[in-house]
Amino acid sequence: MSINVLPIFEAYPVFTRISARLQGCVRSELRHVRANDGQEFFRVGGPCTEWPLIVAGKVRVVQPLPTGRTMPLYSVGPGDFCALSVSCLIGDIAYPAEGRAAGEVVGATLPKSVFQTLLDDDAAFRKEIFGAFAMRFCLLMGVIEEMSRMRMDERLADLLVTRGPVIHATHQALADELGTAREVVSRILEHFEADGLVELRRSQVHVVDAAHLAETYTVRQID
C-alpha cells in the first residue's frame, strides 16, 4: 500500500543515505500503521515478520512475568529502532517479550525481506543498525542492574520525580509500569502522602516536594 513516506524519512534519516534503488524498495514496501492505546504490536511467541518504524507516539516493550505482571524493558519512540525486533529479524526467532502502544501511535512497517536486503546491501545502514542495537542493549543492561538493586519505593520515587510534577496515571497503571502489584504502589504512595511528599487525586499523583522525595529515596538528582 502506498503511503506518504516523508514523515518516515524525516524520523529515520538513515533512509536518505541509502542508494536510490534501496530507497525505491523502501518506498514501495512501507505499510502504514496506526494503533490506539494498549493495542498489541507484538506478543510473546509471535513471529517477527516486520520491522516497526514509529513517527508519533510510543510503543512500550515489557516482559510478562509468571505472576501475571510485567517488567518494563524500554519504550520505542519516533526515530527509535526496536532492539527486540532487530534481534528477532536477524536471528529469525519469535518475540520473547511483548509490545503495546502507549497512547496513540502512528508509524509504518517494512517486511522482513526488505530489512534483510538493506542489511545485506548497504554497509552504512548495517553500521547504524548495529550501533543502535548495541546502545539499546547497554541501556537495557543498566536498567536491569538498577532494578535489581533498587527497592520498590526508590523505583516509584524515581518515576515520580522524573515524570512529575503531575503524573496522570492510576495506581494500577503505575504498578504495571514497575512490574509490581497495585496494592504495593498504593501503600507506598500513601506513605509518601503522609510524609507530605505527594498529593493523591483521582487517577493523578501530584509531586509536592520533588527535592525531598529525590533526597530521601536516593533517586536521580533533579536539575
Side-chain angles (χ1 to χ4, degrees):
M1 179 172 63
S2 177
I3 66 171
N4 180 7
V5 299
L6 183 58
I8 301 294
F9 277 45
E10 288 179 344
Y12 295 87
V14 64
F15 291 133
T16 66
R17 297 191 289 271
I18 60 179
S19 69
R21 176 182 67 83
L22 291 176
Q23 285 189 25
C25 183
V26 169
R27 291 174 185 274
S28 65
E29 295 292 340
L30 279 171
R31 184 177 69 87
H32 179 75
V33 172
R34 183 180 295 272
N36 297 322
D37 185 43
Q39 188 170 332
E40 181 182 89
F41 265 71
F42 49 83
R43 65 183 183 279
V44 176
C48 183
T49 60
E50 296 178 313
W51 183 33
L53 304 165
I54 308 301
V55 172
K58 287 187 177 182
V59 174
R60 183 188 300 167
V61 180
V62 300
Q63 176 65 61
L65 302 175
T67 60
R69 304 185 187 112
T70 59
M71 176 184 295
L73 299 179
Y74 61 90
S75 293
V76 184
D80 292 338
F81 297 121
C82 178
L84 196 62
S85 296
V86 169
S87 63
C88 291
L89 287 169
I90 293 174
D92 194 24
I93 57 175
Y95 277 109
E98 68 178 39
R100 292 187 177 275
E104 184 177 358
V105 174
V106 178
T109 62
L110 277 175
K112 179 180 179 178
S113 59
V114 176
F115 173 82
Q116 192 61 58
T117 297
L118 292 169
L119 210 59
D120 291 343
D121 293 1
D122 194 286
F125 178 86
R126 186 165 57 247
K127 180 179 180 180
E128 183 153 348
I129 290 294
F130 286 159
F133 177 82
M135 182 179 297
R136 176 67 73 180
F137 180 80
C138 291
L139 291 174
L140 184 57
M141 292 301 295
V143 169
I144 294 173
E145 179 182 359
E146 182 180 359
M147 291 179 68
S148 68
R149 62 183 174 81
M150 287 180 71
R151 301 185 325 231
M152 189 54 66
D153 56 356
E154 293 174 334
R155 291 175 56 199
L156 180 55
D158 186 40
L159 185 153
L160 297 178
V161 170
T162 301
R163 289 173 42 186
V166 180
I167 298 89
H168 297 274
T170 64
H171 293 191
Q172 184 63 62
L174 293 173
D176 290 343
E177 188 165 347
L178 294 171
T180 187
R182 179 187 59 78
E183 293 79 8
V184 173
V185 167
S186 295
R187 185 166 61 249
I188 296 173
L189 286 174
E190 289 169 1
H191 176 69
F192 288 170
E193 186 174 45
D195 286 348
L197 303 175
V198 303
E199 289 182 359
L200 303 181
R201 303 178 187 176
R202 185 176 180 83
S203 299
Q204 292 182 12
V205 179
H206 291 244
V207 178
V208 176
D209 192 342
H212 190 189
L213 186 63
E215 180 181 0
T216 302
Y217 293 92
T218 62
V219 296
R220 297 188 204 57
Q221 295 299 310
I222 56 176
D223 294 330

